[in-house]
Amino acid sequence: MSDPALGLAMLGLIVVAIMMGFPTAFTLMGLGIFFGFVAFYAPAEHWLDNRVFDLMVQRTYGGMQNDTLLSIPLFVLMGYVIERAALVDKMFYSVQLAFRRVPASLAVTTLLVCAFWGIASGIVGAVVVLMGVIAMRPMLSAGYDVRLASGCITAGGTLGILIPPSVMLIVYAAVAGQSIVKLYAAAMIPGFFLTLLYLIYIVGWALINPKIAPKLPPEKYRVDVPGWLKALESRSGRVMPGLFAAALRPRRAQAGYGTVVKNLGAALVPFILLAALFASAWWYVKIYHAPEAVSGEQPVEMAAPASAAPAQESQGLQELGEPEEAQELDTPSSDKPEALGGALAEKSEGDTTGAEPEYFNAWFFGFLVLSLLVLLVYYGRMDGESLEILKMLTASVVPLGVLTFIVLAVILFGITTATESAGVGALGAFYLAGYQTYPRRTIWASLAGALACFILAWSMGHQAMTLAVSTSLGSVFIGTAVPWLWDLATVRKLKRNLLESTFLTAKTTAMVCWLFVGSAIFSAVFALHGGQSLIERWVLSMDLTPLQFMLLAQAIIFLLGWPLEWTEIIVIFVPIFIPLLTHFNVDPVLFGTMVAVNLQAAFLSPPVAMSAFYLKGVAPKHVTLNQIFAGMMPYMLIVILCLVFMYIWPGMTLWLPNFLYGK
């Protein structure tokens, strides 16, 4: 049997072993060591001197040196701490009230909360199980179709592995040697676009066939309004004029002045968030990026690729006998096909980092005027019930939303690396968990920390940025430390959260690290036998265009998603396509984002379809796996539709990373 045949045998055996239920990481290592032993076998040497053991040590050490993997345990810890802080129940109830008049309101709420919670945690199993417990029975009790109820939970739960901060994108970045921040920027718009397609499908199905999602009776979403607020509304006609009048003339309200101010502050939250969003966008484009547009400097220093030690890696493999054709693909640059995606995928002659987007002013002020009009209509129609719902949303959604926005913003704007941002997210998760249990203690500790650090920073200098950063850090650190230390020293309500989150984080991180070790050994031996080179020559012999190559690659990944999970696909099969991207002139960021969208199918396609099994474990007994599978199948077609849009309009994926970091 020839060496390339051994490589193909490895590939076939790993698929069979995984489908039989063997652990992926240790199966990869076992096959890699066995076939590597065969490749390096020399009858004159003792079997302990076989060089496959040197390869195992080199690859294990190289994988553990991968800086990209450092952010995984922190992001996972952030997700588990938030997931166990009991924030989802309040969020689901408040969002349900906010969308109470939308068709299939419970399904829409479930999908939105799944997506939002998945973004914050990034753990598909935890999101699907938790939302299955919270949302499945209420939807079935309201008369919702089982397929609609199960589909929105399983599809919504998978969005967390696509929309940043995503562990899947971190794993792909480590495997493909790409910048995680570019992948995060590229996945933002496609992730939210896929969420929009899911929502359109749910609402459209409910409009076409209202029987699948009956409207809730009014008593299910009626909100109690305080008497003083009803009286204020009746005198002023609307809530907002009455609150402003009561703030200026407290005697007009039948409540304390502090209550009036709190309600007025809650009512102004949408305006404050909108103002902060547009002000940040204007500052970033017009002020922060203006010097870069002139000097051509990069706004951030991009981290070295995950496989940043190509010299060391390739040298080590060459010493272990890796054939040269497995390392380098003979594809003359003059014969390369036209770039996939047009100008967006080509390397520009000059760096465009920081260049102001075309028609920025028109789009900015157009959206600003439209947003203000919507806000005016909202405030004009606001009544006491709407204000109470807004207060619920402010308490349940805004804190987690602000934390998620900060985690993503500090990465995308180049303020921190992905690992540092993960640390910020983990700290914020502990802060929210402490606030959920001890709100007053957390607030007072935060104020004390902010004041102490402000005074300390003022004594050392008067720079505005130093004062702002020091005050913020002091508020968060002290606001986190005091409630947790108090809890651990007294009632220990948060101790279980801490223990479970730490254990699950260690378990998940160990799984990912073993996967990388096994994948590194397997891929090295696979290339050593010439399997990688054989596949590359076979693909090149078909003389495909970039479009045909992308169709072939995405079709293979889509089909692999039926029997395999996304982890196996990324660490085993995606590296086979990576060397071919250069020949077909396909942007690796675009390819990686399309793979991330495509891998939604790995959670939505039988027979593996882990989301279905997660949901089945907590669903009522009369809900069958076939019903759950039937509910998930339309979302697979929506994934394919999203991939078509991404190919037709590559700017949806590449515009944001190109604007932030250049091409």
Side-chain angles (χ1 to χ4, degrees):
M1 187 179 289
S2 63
D3 281 348
L6 284 175
L8 295 181
M10 291 176 63
L11 205 59
L13 284 174
I14 189 64
V15 175
V16 173
I18 292 173
M19 293 183 67
M20 291 177 64
F22 287 95
T24 305
F26 298 105
T27 304
L28 286 168
M29 284 187 285
L31 288 176
I33 292 175
F34 176 78
F35 282 91
F37 187 90
V38 172
F40 288 118
Y41 178 72
E45 297 179 355
H46 192 274
W47 68 273
L48 285 175
D49 295 330
N50 193 293
R51 302 182 71 187
V52 71
F53 301 113
D54 298 331
L55 174 65
M56 179 181 67
V57 174
Q58 288 180 10
R59 284 289 172 162
T60 304
Y61 183 71
M64 295 303 99
Q65 278 188 315
N66 195 334
D67 293 338
T68 306
L69 300 180
L70 288 175
S71 57
I72 291 180
L74 293 171
F75 275 131
V76 173
L77 179 63
M78 167 187 166
Y80 279 123
V81 170
I82 290 177
E83 186 258 331
R84 276 155 175 73
L87 294 173
V88 186
D89 294 347
K90 295 180 180 179
M91 182 186 300
F92 181 80
Y93 181 65
S94 58
V95 175
Q96 172 192 341
L97 292 175
F99 288 91
R100 61 194 185 278
R101 294 186 176 91
V102 176
S105 59
L106 280 177
V108 170
T109 300
T110 301
L111 182 68
L112 290 175
V113 174
C114 278
F116 190 77
W117 196 253
I119 295 170
S121 67
I123 305 164
V124 173
V127 175
V128 173
V129 169
L130 195 60
M131 292 307 301
V133 172
I134 295 174
M136 189 69 173
R137 292 184 184 276
M139 282 192 285
L140 296 180
S141 300
Y144 277 49
D145 189 279
V146 176
R147 294 170 298 171
L148 176 63
S150 59
C152 66
I153 294 175
T154 52
T158 63
L159 290 169
I161 59 174
L162 170 63
I163 306 175
S166 164
V167 174
M168 175 191 285
L169 293 177
I170 299 175
V171 174
Y172 176 85
V175 169
Q178 293 299 312
S179 167
I180 182 60
V181 292
K182 278 194 173 184
L183 285 167
Y184 273 5
M188 291 290 291
I189 298 178
F192 290 118
F193 179 70
L194 183 61
T195 306
L196 177 63
L197 291 180
Y198 287 167
L199 288 173
I200 292 174
Y201 165 72
I202 292 173
V203 175
W205 190 12
L207 290 174
I208 295 172
N209 186 8
K211 294 182 179 180
I212 65 166
K215 291 184 178 180
L216 297 176
E219 60 270 12
K220 289 288 186 180
Y221 53 78
R222 184 175 291 116
V223 180
D224 294 331
V225 181
W228 71 269
L229 193 57
K230 289 181 179 179
L232 192 68
E233 182 182 359
S234 62
R235 286 198 302 267
S236 303
R238 288 296 174 186
V239 167
M240 289 302 293
L243 285 175
F244 278 110
L248 297 175
R249 299 170 61 186
R251 293 182 179 179
R252 289 177 57 90
Q254 300 175 4
Y257 189 70
T259 303
V260 174
V261 172
K262 287 181 181 179
N263 281 266
L264 181 60
L268 292 176
V269 165
F271 174 77
I272 294 172
L273 294 178
L274 184 68
L277 177 63
F278 278 93
S280 301
W282 180 268
W283 169 82
Y284 186 78
V285 175
K286 289 290 189 177
I287 300 175
Y288 180 79
H289 258 197
E292 268 60 345
V294 176
S295 63
E297 297 176 358
Q298 296 287 345
V300 293
E301 182 180 351
M302 301 303 298
S307 56
Q312 298 175 4
E313 292 275 344
S314 59
Q315 182 180 359
L317 283 179
Q318 188 64 37
E319 291 174 354
L320 290 173
E322 181 181 6
E324 294 198 14
E325 63 265 23
Q327 297 185 37
E328 190 172 315
L329 195 62
D330 185 15
T331 54
S333 59
S334 58
D335 297 332
K336 288 182 181 179
E338 184 180 354
L340 177 64
L344 284 168
E346 296 175 355
K347 291 184 179 180
S348 58
E349 296 181 0
D351 187 14
T352 59
T353 306
E356 182 178 315
E358 190 176 6
Y359 307 119
F360 171 76
N361 290 337
W363 283 99
F364 179 86
F365 288 107
F367 275 112
L368 178 61
V369 171
L370 179 62
S371 301
L372 290 176
L373 289 176
V374 172
L375 204 60
L376 286 174
V377 172
Y378 172 72
Y379 279 132
R381 300 178 60 182
M382 177 182 283
D383 54 12
E385 192 176 68
S386 300
L387 179 58
E388 290 299 310
I389 295 173
L390 179 59
K391 288 161 61 177
M392 296 180 189
L393 289 171
T394 302
S396 60
V397 178
V398 172
L400 190 57
V402 171
L403 173 62
T404 306
F405 176 80
I406 291 174
V407 169
L408 293 178
V410 294
I411 297 178
L412 298 180
F413 293 165
I415 300 173
T416 66
T417 64
T419 304
E420 294 164 346
S421 173
V424 172
L427 176 63
F430 278 101
Y431 182 89
L432 290 182
Y435 177 79
Q436 181 69 14
T437 308
Y438 304 103
R440 290 183 177 273
R441 197 178 300 277
T442 303
I443 291 175
W444 284 110
S446 300
L447 292 175
L451 180 61
C453 289
F454 178 84
I455 295 173
L456 180 62
W458 182 270
S459 64
M460 300 178 66
H462 304 298
Q463 295 184 359
M465 185 59 68
T466 303
L467 294 174
V469 172
S470 300
T471 303
S472 302
L473 290 177
S475 174
V476 174
F477 274 110
I478 304 301
T480 303
V482 170
W484 276 86
L485 292 175
W486 172 269
D487 179 87
L488 295 176
T490 55
V491 294
R492 300 186 178 182
K493 291 182 180 179
L494 297 173
K495 181 181 178 180
R496 183 178 179 183
N497 184 333
L498 179 63
L499 293 177
E500 291 181 354
S501 301
T502 305
F503 172 75
L504 292 172
T505 299
K507 182 179 177 181
T508 305
T509 305
M511 179 200 71
V512 173
C513 290
W514 279 119
L515 270 175
F516 267 90
V517 171
S519 172
I521 298 173
F522 182 89
S523 60
V525 176
F526 182 70
L528 182 69
H529 280 294
Q532 178 74 45
S533 178
L534 180 65
I535 292 176
E536 290 170 354
R537 288 196 297 269
W538 171 67
V539 173
L540 294 178
S541 67
M542 291 190 289
D543 195 23
L544 301 174
T545 64
L547 172 59
Q548 293 170 336
F549 168 73
M550 287 291 286
L551 289 175
L552 175 65
Q554 297 299 330
I556 291 174
I557 292 172
F558 183 82
L559 293 176
L560 288 173
W562 289 62
L564 304 178
E565 293 190 59
W566 68 267
T567 49
E568 288 94 358
I569 295 173
I570 285 185
V571 300
I572 300 172
F573 295 97
V574 168
I576 297 175
F577 298 105
I578 298 300
L580 295 167
L581 299 181
T582 303
H583 171 79
F584 291 101
N585 210 7
V586 176
D587 191 304
V589 174
L590 174 63
F591 181 80
T593 310
M594 294 183 73
V595 167
V597 173
N598 199 348
L599 284 175
Q600 302 290 305
F603 280 94
L604 299 174
S605 55
V608 176
M610 293 306 298
S611 291
F613 294 98
Y614 291 143
L615 181 59
K616 175 58 180 172
V618 296
K621 293 182 179 180
H622 69 272
V623 177
T624 64
L625 270 176
N626 289 334
Q627 290 175 315
I628 298 176
F629 286 150
M632 294 191 307
M633 295 304 289
Y635 295 93
M636 294 177 59
L637 301 178
I638 296 175
V639 169
I640 297 176
L641 179 63
C642 183
L643 288 173
V644 172
F645 274 106
M646 291 174 67
Y647 176 79
I648 296 175
W649 183 30
M652 181 172 67
T653 304
L654 297 177
W655 174 81
L656 186 58
N658 285 346
F659 169 67
L660 294 175
Y661 316 115
K663 297 177 182 178

